[in-house]
Amino acid sequence: PLSVVFLFVVIPAAMALTIGCVKDSTAILQSGGECVRACLAQSFQQVSTLNINGITGMEYTMQLIGKMLDPEVSEYGALYAGRLVSSLIKHAGAALNINQILQAVLNKLTKCESPTIQQSLLVVFIKLFNHDLEGSMSFLQSINTPSGENGLVYVLKSWCEIQEMFTGEYETKVAVIALTKFLPHLLATDSPLSLI
């Protein structure tokens, strides 16, 4: 568990500073997002139920994710957004409106040019593919990018374009495992992947 001082002084200050920063403050967004992610990983229950001026830690976290994934915010502000979203999904699970979050991740992904930022956001979907391939594929087929491209097609194309540039042993391993899960679908004629 987190100490009382950390819980009631540090976390509220970090959240307020990060959410209140101007859109171009990428360093603050990156550091604040990573701080919140680390706190959630350490003690999800404490942080998510924390009450800060009538707003729960979960609501603050959702606001922070929304700011990091805002299409108007520099893509570098979203460097650690993928890690924060993945951590939140892991710990909160069904308590989240995951569809809205994943749509925001997809929308931000379409605005990113840096392979590092793209990787951070793609790993959210890659982890979901590893957890529930069928459900993740079905969900992505049901949504579109802001330009109207199918979500599954866009994610898979983006992933294939930058896979060779993936950095980090863990991220590379998770991606390769997910790719192997797609093999049976690539061979099946009735697979949604046959349309790509």
Side-chain angles (χ1 to χ4, degrees):
L2 298 170
S3 72
V4 173
V5 172
F6 202 83
L7 194 61
F8 292 105
V9 177
V10 175
I11 293 174
M15 287 186 172
L17 177 67
T18 307
I19 291 171
C21 75
V22 294
K23 290 183 177 183
D24 294 335
S25 301
T26 57
I28 294 173
L29 284 172
Q30 290 173 3
S31 300
E34 190 61 4
C35 175
V36 171
R37 185 207 58 81
C39 293
L40 287 170
Q42 177 66 31
S43 185
F44 175 77
Q45 190 63 33
Q46 278 184 300
V47 176
S48 64
T49 58
L50 179 65
N51 187 323
I52 307 166
N53 300 323
I55 301 173
T56 66
M58 178 66 85
E59 291 168 328
Y60 263 113
T61 303
M62 296 299 288
Q63 287 178 25
L64 175 57
I65 289 171
K67 183 156 190 165
M68 294 172 85
L69 296 176
D70 182 341
E72 301 302 316
V73 172
S74 165
E75 70 180 89
Y76 294 99
L79 178 61
Y80 298 117
R83 289 179 58 154
L84 177 58
V85 169
S86 291
S87 182
L88 190 60
I89 291 170
K90 175 183 174 186
H91 294 291
L96 287 176
N97 182 354
I98 193 169
N99 295 357
Q100 183 180 7
I101 294 170
L102 295 178
Q103 181 71 60
V105 172
L106 178 64
N107 293 349
K108 187 68 174 186
L109 179 61
T110 65
K111 300 282 187 182
C112 295
E113 295 177 10
S114 164
T116 305
I117 310 299
Q118 290 173 342
Q119 174 185 324
S120 170
L121 298 174
L122 283 168
V123 167
V124 172
F125 295 111
I126 291 168
K127 285 181 176 181
L128 290 173
F129 290 144
N130 278 322
H131 178 70
D132 178 12
L133 181 62
E134 300 292 332
S136 300
M137 285 179 22
S138 177
F139 170 74
L140 280 169
Q141 278 187 290
S142 72
I143 64 173
N144 294 317
T145 65
S147 65
E149 188 172 359
N150 178 271
L152 180 61
V153 171
Y154 188 84
V155 166
L156 291 177
K157 280 184 182 177
S158 299
W159 182 10
C160 289
E161 287 173 6
I162 69 161
Q163 173 63 42
E164 67 181 328
M165 294 181 269
F166 265 40
T167 59
E169 185 177 335
Y170 172 76
E171 289 80 0
T172 303
K173 194 180 303 183
V174 168
V176 169
I177 291 169
L179 283 172
T180 63
K181 291 186 176 199
F182 277 102
L183 288 176
H185 292 279
L186 293 172
L187 301 174
T189 56
D190 62 342
S191 168
L193 298 179
S194 65
L195 303 173
I196 298 175

